[in-house]
């Protein structure tokens, strides 16, 4: 609290991740910072993470002159430690998914937690969108940067621990699912993202189908009725292109 190097900002209302990242970018530009680092509350960073990321950025900048952001690799210990057989299956699926993303032309999108942005590039790329509130904010911003011929890279030698969604064990199988509010935003924002015609069409279709298929899990998740209603509202508002920031 007494440190002159720390600015503690408490929002008077819930602006979501999108709003927080948007205002973070404004503050970083106003303060003439070089970098902006996003970190989720449940992410665990390795020792000397920031210095390694900054050094990694400068090293990659020599190879990629239009580099705008980098991110670490990440591991969800709740899933990755789920037995040797499941780990092997996950590795196989991860390799297949990477090939699919390469084919779709969006292999350089990264999650927001651990993302390090080079502030001078925000002038041309713009800020994360407040109206997305909580889902697909990072993917939309990365696709926007790529559409403007900027570059985004992953430092695979730096890894954070990060929890993605909720997990539940059903008959010795592990199910990854979302909270009701996340079903609303993931589906609604998938439709908003689909309307961004400057992004690769196949990837927009992939994101839309992927999030709609998540509805198949709803009968098996806690608060299934609430989750179903949220998903249906997200579908309706997505079709109608409603961009209200708050879920009701």
């Amino acid at each position: 609290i007494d440190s002159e190097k720390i600015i503690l900002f408490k929002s008077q209302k819930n602006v979501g991740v999108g709003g927080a990242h948007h205002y973070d970018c404004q503050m970083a530009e106003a303060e003439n910072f070089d970098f902006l680092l996003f970190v989720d509350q449940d992410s665990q960073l390795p020792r000397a993470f920031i210095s390694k990321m900054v050094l990694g950025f400068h090293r990659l900048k020599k190879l990629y002159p239009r580099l705008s952001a980098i991110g670490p690799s990440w591991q969800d210990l709740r899933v990755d430690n789920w037995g040797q057989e499941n780990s092997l299956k996950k590795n196989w699926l991860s390799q297949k998914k990477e090939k699919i993303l390469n084919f779709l032309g969006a292999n350089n999108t990264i999650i927001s937690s651990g993302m390090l942005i080079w502030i001078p590039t925000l002038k041309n790329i713009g800020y994360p969108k407040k109206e997305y509130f909580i889902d697909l904010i990072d993917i939309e911003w990365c696709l926007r940067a790529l559409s403007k011929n900027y570059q985004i890279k992953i430092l695979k030698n730096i890894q954070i621990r990060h929890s993605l969604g909720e997990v539940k064990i059903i008959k010795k199988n592990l199910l990854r699912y979302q909270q009701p509010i996340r079903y609303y935003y993931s589906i609604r924002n998938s439709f908003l993202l689909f309307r961004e015609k400057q992004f690769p069409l196949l990837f927009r279709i992939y994101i839309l189908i992927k999030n709609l298929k998540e509805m198949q899990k709803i009968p098996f998740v806690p608060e299934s009725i609430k989750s179903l209603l949220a998903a249906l509202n997200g579908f309706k508002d997505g079709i109608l292109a409603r961009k209200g920031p708050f879920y009701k």
Side-chain angles (χ1 to χ4, degrees):
I1 293 175
D2 298 327
S3 174
E4 295 180 356
K5 296 182 179 180
I6 296 177
I7 301 171
L8 178 61
F9 180 81
K10 293 185 178 180
S11 178
Q12 297 301 310
K13 61 180 181 179
N14 183 4
V15 297
V17 174
H21 287 185
H22 183 95
Y23 296 128
D24 288 341
C25 289
Q26 283 184 329
M27 293 173 66
E29 275 197 319
E31 296 288 337
N32 293 316
F33 290 160
D34 292 326
F35 293 103
L36 176 62
L37 174 69
F38 295 139
V39 183
D40 287 3
Q41 83 285 353
D42 57 355
S43 296
Q44 300 176 43
L45 311 181
R47 187 179 298 274
F49 172 77
I50 294 177
S51 60
K52 289 179 180 178
M53 289 286 287
V54 172
L55 288 173
F57 181 91
H58 287 303
R59 175 175 55 83
L60 287 173
K61 193 77 163 58
K62 297 177 182 178
L63 302 174
Y64 305 99
R66 291 185 63 80
L67 188 65
S68 62
I70 61 172
S73 62
W74 59 275
Q75 180 185 34
D76 188 339
L77 293 180
R78 303 169 306 168
V79 178
D80 292 335
N81 286 349
W82 188 248
Q84 182 65 27
E85 182 178 346
N86 286 283
S87 296
L88 290 172
K89 182 179 179 181
K90 181 182 181 300
N91 289 335
W92 179 81
L93 288 174
S94 297
Q95 293 173 5
K96 189 172 182 180
K97 181 180 178 181
E98 186 173 355
K99 290 181 180 179
I100 291 174
L101 292 178
N102 285 332
F103 173 74
L104 296 176
N107 55 316
N108 286 326
T109 58
I110 54 180
I111 65 171
S112 60
S113 188
M115 180 191 291
L116 187 76
I117 295 177
W118 178 238
I119 295 299
T121 61
L122 287 175
K123 182 178 180 180
N124 295 323
I125 300 172
Y127 302 159
K129 291 189 174 182
K130 292 184 289 185
E131 60 266 28
Y132 273 52
F133 194 72
I134 198 171
D135 270 289
L136 299 180
I137 301 159
D138 41 15
I139 289 180
E140 190 281 329
W141 187 88
C142 287
L143 289 175
R144 198 185 333 146
L146 294 171
S147 72
K148 296 176 182 291
N149 295 319
Y150 285 96
Q151 297 157 312
I152 297 172
K153 297 296 176 182
I154 297 176
L155 293 176
K156 294 184 178 181
N157 62 318
I158 302 177
Q159 186 178 81
I160 65 172
R161 293 180 178 179
H162 176 70
S163 300
L164 190 65
E166 309 293 332
V167 294
K168 177 183 178 181
I169 300 172
I170 301 178
K171 295 182 179 180
K172 298 184 178 181
N173 292 309
L174 190 138
L175 175 71
R176 195 195 292 272
Y177 67 97
Q178 305 176 60
Q179 293 290 341
I181 188 174
R182 302 299 295 270
Y183 281 109
Y184 172 81
Y185 280 109
S186 64
I187 293 174
R188 191 203 70 172
N189 290 351
S190 296
F191 282 97
L192 298 183
L193 187 72
F194 184 77
R195 290 183 172 87
E196 301 285 353
K197 295 183 180 180
Q198 71 273 28
F199 301 158
L201 175 61
L202 290 178
F203 186 69
R204 287 183 281 139
I205 294 174
Y206 165 77
I207 291 293
L208 181 61
I209 293 176
K210 175 177 176 292
N211 284 326
L212 288 175
K213 285 187 67 176
E214 285 290 308
M215 294 178 65
Q216 296 176 344
K217 301 177 182 179
I218 288 179
F220 309 101
V221 306
E223 299 184 284
S224 57
I225 300 296
K226 189 175 181 180
S227 295
L228 178 61
L229 292 175
L232 292 175
N233 283 330
F235 185 88
K236 178 184 68 175
D237 288 352
I239 292 291
L240 298 175
R242 290 176 178 168
K243 297 181 179 180
F246 298 109
Y247 166 71
K248 296 180 180 180

